[in-house]
Amino acid sequence: MRMTELDKKLQEIALANWEQFVHLVGQDAILSAKICLLRQNKASYGEIENRLGITTNQARYGCQKCEDKKTL
């Protein structure tokens, strides 16, 4: 996928002002991305829970969403 000018702008915002970036894309999207990154790196549900301060159900649900996206 080619990066558009808007993609580049979002990347710049993320680097320069993380709080603004989180506000733009949403806290839930950031949490989902973190869960997927940890799971891709073979983190267990327990590790994900501890690192992100979330419940077991949140970790399992988030990991399932990552798996669902892979099959699309």
Side-chain angles (χ1 to χ4, degrees):
M1 180 172 129
R2 179 178 82 74
M3 280 190 66
T4 67
E5 287 302 314
L6 284 174
D7 294 328
K8 291 175 186 174
K9 182 65 177 169
L10 283 172
Q11 187 178 45
E12 289 171 13
I13 292 169
L15 289 170
N17 188 338
W18 182 251
E19 291 81 16
Q20 181 185 10
F21 180 75
V22 171
H23 179 73
L24 286 171
V25 300
Q27 186 67 37
D28 290 342
I30 299 297
L31 180 61
S32 292
K34 288 177 180 180
I35 290 170
C36 291
L37 283 173
L38 288 169
R39 194 62 174 173
Q40 285 174 357
N41 289 316
K42 309 297 184 212
S44 68
Y45 295 132
E47 290 172 313
I48 294 169
E49 293 167 37
N50 291 333
R51 296 264 317 260
L52 301 179
I54 60 176
T55 66
T56 301
N57 287 340
Q58 287 173 308
R60 288 181 186 274
Y61 178 74
C63 290
Q64 183 62 47
K65 284 178 57 177
C66 298
E67 291 299 316
D68 291 346
K69 289 177 185 174
K70 284 182 186 178
T71 60
L72 295 178

